[in-house]
Structures are given as C-alpha cells and as structure tokens.
C-alpha cells in the first residue's frame, strides 16, 4: 500500500494525528488542520494540544516505574527522576508550562529530601519567581498566564468544591475530585480565554472528565 498516496505519513499516521501526537508529546508546533484546531478551541479542550504538568507527570510515573523495577530506592530515585525530567524539559524546548511543572516537582522532591512539608502554593510561587527572574516578559505571555492561573485555581478553588461536595462512597469521591479540578481550572482561566479568544466554554467541565483520562 502506498501510504503517501493514501494520505498517511512515513509512520503510517494521518497527518493530523501525527501532528497532534507530536504536539502533546514534545510540544512541537506541527501543522494540524485549522478546522481541527478550531474545534479544540471551541470545545474548551485546546489545552490538550499543549504540554502541561499532566504530560510531565505521565513521563515521571513511567520513569519512576522503571527505576523501581531496577531496584532503585530512597532519595536516589528523586535525584535520578529530577535529572531525567530535566532532560525531557530540554527536549521540549523549555516551554513555560513544562518548566513551571518541573520546578514545582523539583520543589516537592526538594521538600522531601530536606524533610520539609510540601506546599503547593509555595511551589507555584517558586516556579513563577524563577521564570520571571530569567525572563520578566513572560508575565505578559498568554501561555504563562493560562498555566499559572489554571494551577492556582486548582490549589485555591478545588478544595472549596471538594469540601462543599463531601459525602458519598468511593466512586463519588473520585468523580467529585475530577469535577472539582476541572471546574477550578475553568473558572480560573475563563476570564483570560474570554478576553483573548472571545470564547466561553463551560462544556469543558464535562468534556475534560471523559477526555483527560482517555
């Protein structure tokens, strides 16, 4: 079969699929059809096209599983993970959302290694200070604003929702956890999205609940 004539690339993927995978794995701005990009924006799922903490955590868990299977234990795991994740961050071109995630993870691991209490808000502040110290102009960057606003919403708003919706069994607790995070991220980023793209996407709460695990 001639893959090129059938519309597939050398890897046997349709161009839009290959472009999508390249964006969510390495953050490469490969060309995807305008209608597909617009569909992501209008459905409120454009964040799936960008690297974020979610991607970094998936990579971290994969590395962690391999290190544990190799018999590595204790603080050595944290140090090796930070090194490997740092190389991955370099591979993605030092995108702000990935750097933010890496610095927060480093702060968490650093707290463990120093026998200090973990604190998400402190880790987020540390990441913001480090990025702004290197490039103050990032404050005006849309990616910077969306990345930090979303995480800040998860830290501040999600616990309020979780406290309000407490009760029920194991299944409900998992459902309210996912909904709470999605609601918090949407509320925090909605003003930025509305002012820059003239879009309001409340459907993101339901779509994220199904699409993110998938």
């Amino acid at each position: 079969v001639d893959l090129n004539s059938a519309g597939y690339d050398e890897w046997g993927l349709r161009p839009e699929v290959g472009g999508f995978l390249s964006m969510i794995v390495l953050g490469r701005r490969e060309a995807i059809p305008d209608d597909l990009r617009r569909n992501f924006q209008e459905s409120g799922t454009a964040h799936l096209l960008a690297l974020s903490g979610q991607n970094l955590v998936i990579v971290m868990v994969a590395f962690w599983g391999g290190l544990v299977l190799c018999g590595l234990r204790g603080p050595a795991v944290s140090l090796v993970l930070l090194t490997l994740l740092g190389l991955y961050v370099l591979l993605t071109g030092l995108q702000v959302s990935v750097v933010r995630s890496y610095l927060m993870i480093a702060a968490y691991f650093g707290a463990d290694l120093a026998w200090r209490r973990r604190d998400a808000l402190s880790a987020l502040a540390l990441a913001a200070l480090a990025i702004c110290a290197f490039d103050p102009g990032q404050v005006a960057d849309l990616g910077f604003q969306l990345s930090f606003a979303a995480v800040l919403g998860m830290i501040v708003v999600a616990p309020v929702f979780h406290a309000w919706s407490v009760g029920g069994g194991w299944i409900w607790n998992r459902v309210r956890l996912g909904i709470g995070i999605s609601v918090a991220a949407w509320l925090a980023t909605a003003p930025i999205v509305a002012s820059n793209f003239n879009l309001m996407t409340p459907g993101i709460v339901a779509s994220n609940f199904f699409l993110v695990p998938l």
Side-chain angles (χ1 to χ4, degrees):
V1 177
D2 187 350
L3 294 178
N4 291 328
S5 62
Y8 293 83
D9 61 17
E10 65 271 19
W11 302 103
L13 298 173
R14 298 196 308 274
E16 66 272 20
V17 176
F20 175 75
L21 291 177
S22 181
M23 293 182 77
I24 66 173
V25 174
L26 294 175
R28 293 177 179 171
R29 299 299 179 184
E30 303 288 346
I32 62 174
D34 290 337
D35 58 340
L36 179 60
R37 189 187 301 273
R38 186 167 56 253
N39 287 340
F40 274 104
Q41 292 175 344
E42 294 176 352
S43 65
T45 53
H47 61 280
L48 295 176
L49 296 177
L51 290 178
S52 65
Q54 174 180 276
N55 305 71
L56 200 63
V57 168
I58 292 174
V59 174
M60 182 185 69
V61 171
F63 281 143
W64 176 82
L67 293 173
V68 170
L69 289 176
C70 290
L72 208 60
R73 298 289 188 276
V77 175
S78 299
L79 294 174
V80 175
L81 276 177
L82 286 176
T83 301
L84 293 174
L85 290 178
L87 294 175
Y88 174 74
V89 172
L90 291 175
L91 191 63
T92 62
L94 297 176
Q95 296 186 35
V96 171
S97 57
V98 185
V99 173
R100 187 262 309 154
S101 304
Y102 177 77
L103 292 174
M104 291 187 68
I105 290 174
Y108 266 53
F109 284 152
D112 289 342
L113 294 173
W115 296 89
R116 301 298 295 271
R117 181 174 60 88
R118 292 178 175 179
D119 183 72
L121 195 57
S122 296
L124 183 65
L126 174 65
L129 287 172
I131 292 174
C132 290
F134 181 77
D135 183 7
Q138 285 292 334
V139 175
D141 183 77
L142 182 60
F144 178 96
Q145 296 171 8
L146 289 172
S147 180
F148 279 88
V151 178
L152 185 62
M154 295 178 194
I155 295 173
V156 176
V157 180
V160 176
F161 178 85
H162 295 156
W164 171 76
S165 60
V166 68
W170 182 86
I171 295 179
W172 168 243
N173 285 332
R174 294 298 175 273
V175 170
R176 74 186 182 92
L177 178 64
I179 293 178
I181 292 175
S182 186
V183 167
W186 175 68
L187 288 176
T189 57
I192 303 175
V193 173
S195 62
N196 285 275
F197 301 107
N198 298 316
L199 287 174
M200 287 295 289
T201 55
I204 190 175
V205 176
S207 60
N208 275 344
F209 186 76
F210 294 101
L211 290 178
V212 171
L214 179 62

